[in-house]
Amino acid sequence: MSRILAILQKEFLQMKRDRLTLGMVFMLPLVQLLLFGYAIQTEVKHISTVVFDQSMSIESRDLLDSFSSSGYFDITGTAKGYAEITKMIDSGKAKAGIIFPPDFAEKLRKGETAPVQVLVDASDSMVSNSAIAVANSIGLLKSQKIIMQKTGVQSLPYDIRVRPWYNPDGITAYYMVPAILGIIVTMTMVMMTSMGIVREREKGTLEQLMVTPVKSYELMIGKVIPYIALGYLQITVALLVGGVVFGVPIRGSILQLYLLTLFFITASLGIGIFISNIARNQMQAFQMSFFVFLPSIMLSGFMFPREAMPSIIQYIGNIFPLTFYLTIIRGIVLKGIGFPYLIPQVMSLLVFSVIMMTLSIIKFKKKIA
Amino acid sequence: MDKMNINNIIETESLTKVFGGLAAVNEVTLKIDRGDIFGLVGPDGAGKTTLLRMLCGLITPSRGRISRNSDSFGYMPQKFSLYGDLTIAENINFFGALYKIDSKTIRRRADEILEITGLAGFKSRFADDLSGGMKQKLALTCALLAKPALLVLDEPTYGVDPESRKEFWKILYQLNKEGVTIVVSTPYMDEAELCKTVALISRGIIMSTGDPGSLKKSFPYGILELKADARDLDFINDLPEVVDGDFYGDKYHVAVYEVEQAKAAIINLLAEKKVAIHHLRHIPPSMEDVFVAVTKEEVV
């Protein structure tokens, strides 16, 4: 015990002196929160739109008003022909183009179907998805109105009432902030821990430690505890900023949040320690951490919805602890659910931790032999 | 283990370590006496570090056996491996705590050793800010905290200035007088002369073991020291009376079978080549002469 304390004391001393790393530890959650919370919006509005109106009628202007008042399309210019529209979309000056044929108003007045062409730059799928969906629904709404006027029907046969639970206003920060906790913990536990341990090997201090009576488990515990403390500190900072700046509510129990996070920390530490056993220097540890980090972000559901992935990729995503932790943390923070609902995730993290630790011990024993 | 002589602090038998098919240490059988200053002498890549690491239990041998008759030992690796971002005092306290020495005792012992090593005034300086010689002394201090009966040092004076080297050896002698057995590796022949026992190692094989005096006495050739007005004297080596020759500074050392015959032959040859001789005299062999001769024999 006294040896673990000595290692702890030494680690904290070194941490305190490494001002740059310490600064990063606190800046990282702040910058990530502000970036993901403010800058990143998955819903695209204000798409710059150019119009080629050959009809120049009340009807065409009326439809255009519907487009611009939706908030999704900003009419930024008019074109005098197809070639000009193509040029503007090609050059990126406009992301969408609306083209009215010359007989647009005439057909409407006659009660015929009046086609309108909406061109969308789908090279950015986020933009095109919004544009396509909104353009379609504007068309439907306008048609509905005309049909209701013609037939005299007062109410629609179907009435689908959608209630978006947990995040009714669709605020991105609500969804992002809890997930960022997962990202930060992954970085600290995998990257910083593995690099911290490998540094001892690289500098030769591990060799010096091995001739002292210190046991390897004492060394591991002493090295790992400061990073766990750091991880919890980062989570606290992130939750505070999330609450104060973005007003993210924590609907579940904070105690459960902190307790269940420990399972994720253990699993991530497992990866970190495993990496430190294979990596020969800090650069390798850094690269290997990224090898884990990137797919974690891509496949866990942090960036892209897992429901949209092919099932084989979903299975691969299940390798990464972050996948389970996102369910846990979003569950507790946004849904206000607790442990009874999250047992499968917690068990998965537990199994993962045991596997990682066993692998590390086997690998470590081989190295000594 | 059962047959181990109580007077020996370390015994090895056919100790071998193979790295990627190559034996870094090959069939080394050694006995190190309690109270010895045992020097492992050889060039870079001879297998000194690997052998010392095995003696410390840091790596396991591929074959062979080691018995160490000492619970406590201090080890000082070749590369400085204490924490550069901790001060002298913090490094000492940390390593002391790992040995479960109470802080009072740590302070007393550290003060003692720091006094000997002359580091007492620099306690609050970061290890990274110390000179090479001071770093070595700090490493020595940490290795000595647990009062070990055995001290293993891997090239402790590597890259240290001559003045600090001398001082460092003085400290080693003092420790030895207090009863500490010292096992030290070095590539420097002048340091080999300072050891009580020397083992010459080359390509993982112990070529010869003994005290420096008897190693030199058992040297089978005579040594002639020649100073002459020529940059290249290697042509002397072609004489049948000569075993081998090489420059040592501005002097040329010639190992010969029979001193008087060789002397005459060399004088003749140089007169023929019109090279002026400053002096040519018979000298006792140095450790370096012994080492060169021993390793050359192996090649042949």
Side-chain angles (χ1 to χ4, degrees):
Chain A
M1 193 61 207
S2 64
R3 288 201 197 108
I4 296 179
L5 279 177
I7 296 168
L8 280 180
Q9 198 184 4
K10 176 218 119 197
E11 288 293 322
F12 280 120
L13 259 177
Q14 289 183 304
M15 239 179 222
K16 204 178 78 188
R17 294 208 173 120
D18 190 357
R19 288 287 156 86
L20 188 74
T21 309
L22 207 60
M24 289 287 287
V25 161
F26 288 99
M27 286 310 287
L28 197 77
L30 284 178
V31 171
Q32 288 210 346
L33 275 177
L34 295 178
L35 269 181
F36 284 107
Y38 274 129
I40 296 185
Q41 297 286 333
T42 45
E43 200 185 35
V44 184
K45 289 193 169 180
H46 304 292
I47 302 161
S48 55
T49 309
V50 60
V51 179
F52 175 32
D53 188 354
Q54 301 170 81
S55 162
M56 296 297 258
S57 55
I58 303 171
E59 285 82 356
S60 66
R61 245 164 286 151
D62 176 52
L63 187 60
L64 267 186
D65 277 347
S66 302
F67 270 94
S68 58
S69 60
S70 71
Y72 286 85
F73 294 92
D74 283 358
I75 312 293
T76 51
T78 52
K80 288 185 189 71
Y82 279 99
E84 201 181 342
I85 281 208
T86 310
K87 206 175 145 196
M88 288 183 86
I89 295 179
D90 278 349
S91 67
K93 279 185 190 134
K95 293 276 181 202
I98 302 174
I99 300 160
F100 292 96
D103 56 353
F104 175 74
E106 205 178 313
K107 278 194 170 165
L108 266 185
R109 275 174 221 147
K110 280 190 199 155
E112 288 172 29
T113 302
V116 179
Q117 194 172 25
V118 178
L119 302 172
V120 176
D121 172 2
S123 64
D124 184 331
S125 63
M126 290 266 196
V127 174
S128 62
N129 285 345
S130 294
I132 291 164
V134 174
N136 278 329
S137 56
I138 287 173
L140 279 174
L141 281 170
K142 295 296 276 184
S143 307
Q144 211 178 64
K145 231 187 200 168
I146 291 174
I147 290 169
M148 281 166 82
Q149 276 170 9
K150 269 190 186 164
T151 56
V153 176
Q154 292 299 315
S155 63
L156 292 167
Y158 291 107
D159 180 12
I160 294 171
R161 298 178 182 198
V162 179
R163 294 273 180 283
W165 273 16
Y166 310 126
N167 188 2
D169 302 323
I171 299 170
T172 314
Y174 282 21
Y175 184 72
M176 279 296 184
V177 168
I180 288 168
L181 298 193
I183 298 289
I184 294 165
V185 172
T186 306
M187 279 186 111
T188 305
M189 295 305 144
V190 178
M191 207 173 281
M192 291 188 66
T193 308
S194 62
M195 286 174 77
I197 297 173
V198 170
R199 183 163 50 234
E200 297 257 6
R201 187 173 306 138
E202 211 177 9
K203 297 222 162 172
T205 45
L206 193 65
E207 191 170 294
Q208 191 76 71
L209 290 176
M210 273 164 78
V211 294
T212 71
V214 72
K215 307 272 189 309
S216 37
Y217 77 88
E218 293 171 325
L219 189 60
M220 269 304 150
I221 294 173
K223 282 229 62 118
V224 146
I225 285 179
Y227 292 105
I228 296 179
L230 216 56
Y232 271 118
L233 213 60
Q234 288 179 311
I235 285 180
T236 311
V237 170
L239 282 177
L240 280 173
V241 174
V244 173
V245 180
F246 298 105
V248 178
I250 300 172
R251 300 205 175 98
S253 133
I254 294 192
L255 182 69
Q256 281 204 22
L257 174 74
Y258 275 75
L259 282 178
L260 295 191
T261 295
L262 193 59
F263 289 93
F264 178 55
I265 284 180
T266 321
S268 304
L269 274 178
I271 303 179
I273 292 171
F274 185 71
I275 288 178
S276 71
N277 269 323
I278 337 179
R280 276 199 218 99
N281 51 49
Q282 290 188 74
M283 194 60 201
Q284 284 185 357
F286 182 78
Q287 284 169 335
M288 282 189 229
S289 301
F290 246 88
F291 192 72
V292 175
F293 193 56
L294 278 181
S296 285
I297 291 181
M298 299 297 182
L299 304 182
S300 64
F302 171 73
M303 282 266 184
F304 312 108
R306 274 166 56 74
E307 288 72 17
M309 298 171 191
S311 53
I312 174 89
I313 301 292
Q314 289 194 30
Y315 283 127
I316 294 175
N318 281 338
I319 299 173
F320 300 97
L322 187 59
T323 308
F324 302 107
Y325 187 60
L326 287 188
T327 312
I328 293 177
I329 188 120
R330 280 178 178 154
I332 293 177
V333 172
L334 293 181
K335 294 187 181 175
I337 57 174
F339 179 66
Y341 290 90
L342 298 167
I343 292 174
Q345 282 76 21
V346 172
M347 287 310 288
S348 302
L349 289 177
L350 201 63
V351 169
F352 185 89
S353 310
V354 170
I355 291 175
M356 267 343 235
M357 295 292 175
T358 315
L359 281 178
S360 294
I361 290 166
I362 292 171
K363 181 82 192 152
F364 194 66
K365 275 202 176 137
K366 268 194 189 149
K367 182 163 278 167
I368 294 294
Chain B
M1 198 82 75
D2 44 347
K3 282 186 289 178
M4 187 167 182
N5 187 332
I6 195 74
N7 290 322
N8 294 333
I9 200 155
I10 292 178
E11 284 181 8
T12 73
E13 207 182 292
S14 309
L15 202 58
T16 302
K17 181 74 190 182
V18 181
F19 287 125
L22 258 152
V25 169
N26 202 349
E27 298 283 324
V28 168
T29 301
L30 276 180
K31 285 183 175 58
I32 299 176
D33 291 338
R34 218 171 261 284
D36 203 353
I37 298 180
F38 186 91
L40 195 57
V41 181
D44 286 340
K48 301 190 294 289
T49 299
T50 308
L51 180 53
L52 291 188
R53 279 185 171 165
M54 282 195 280
L55 296 184
C56 290
L58 281 168
I59 48 176
T60 34
S62 309
R63 280 195 303 281
R65 198 176 59 86
I66 315 170
S67 340
R68 206 173 50 223
N69 205 345
S70 156
D71 290 335
S72 65
F73 70 100
Y75 171 59
M76 211 178 121
Q78 183 180 355
K79 207 177 111 202
F80 178 73
S81 40
L82 300 175
Y83 297 95
D85 49 354
L86 298 186
T87 65
I88 289 187
E90 285 161 354
N91 266 300
I92 290 172
N93 289 337
F94 173 59
F95 280 98
L98 292 188
Y99 283 103
K100 294 208 168 177
I101 309 170
D102 65 279
S103 53
K104 232 185 193 167
T105 318
I106 296 178
R107 213 169 308 137
R108 207 193 57 237
R109 280 190 202 163
D111 281 345
E112 259 173 47
I113 310 165
L114 289 176
E115 203 53 57
I116 301 175
T117 54
L119 284 181
F122 302 95
K123 270 180 171 173
S124 56
R125 197 181 282 193
F126 287 113
D128 266 346
D129 299 337
L130 299 174
S131 70
M134 283 159 96
K135 274 183 182 166
Q136 294 304 71
K137 286 175 184 170
L138 172 59
L140 183 67
T141 309
C142 288
L144 287 171
L145 277 176
K147 291 221 161 195
L150 171 66
L151 186 60
V152 180
L153 309 126
D154 192 5
E155 299 195 16
T157 56
Y158 184 82
V160 172
D161 64 279
E163 202 49 45
S164 303
R165 271 171 66 184
K166 230 186 267 168
E167 235 178 281
F168 195 84
W169 272 91
K170 249 187 226 164
I171 298 167
L172 291 189
Y173 264 87
Q174 191 174 336
L175 290 168
N176 184 249
K177 219 184 276 168
E178 289 164 16
V180 181
T181 308
I182 288 167
V183 177
V184 58
S185 75
T186 177
Y188 302 119
M189 294 303 155
D190 55 334
E191 289 190 348
E193 312 249 9
L194 299 171
C195 299
K196 287 184 182 169
T197 310
V198 168
L200 301 176
I201 184 169
S202 173
R203 273 168 255 211
I205 299 167
I206 300 281
M207 310 298 301
S208 193
T209 315
D211 64 277
S214 64
L215 275 181
K216 283 188 269 187
K217 222 175 271 169
S218 66
F219 187 66
Y221 313 114
I223 294 285
L224 291 175
E225 185 188 76
L226 166 68
K227 198 173 176 207
D229 273 343
R231 288 221 172 145
D232 180 19
L233 287 168
D234 286 344
F235 57 85
I236 292 177
N237 300 355
D238 296 334
L239 286 171
E241 292 85 355
V242 169
V243 184
D244 194 25
D246 230 327
F247 271 106
Y248 286 68
D250 61 340
K251 297 177 185 85
Y252 199 75
H253 280 201
V254 198
V256 299
Y257 294 105
E258 208 284 315
V259 173
E260 291 310 318
Q261 273 177 22
K263 234 182 183 173
I266 290 169
I267 290 170
N268 274 338
L269 183 65
L270 290 179
E272 226 172 80
K273 300 232 173 196
K274 297 196 164 57
V275 175
I277 298 175
H278 288 281
H279 69 247
L280 176 65
R281 60 178 174 226
H282 182 207
I283 55 163
S286 67
M287 263 330 279
E288 187 136 14
D289 294 318
V290 176
F291 188 80
V292 168
V294 161
T295 47
K296 284 228 167 125
E297 258 170 34
E298 184 228 354
V299 179
V300 172

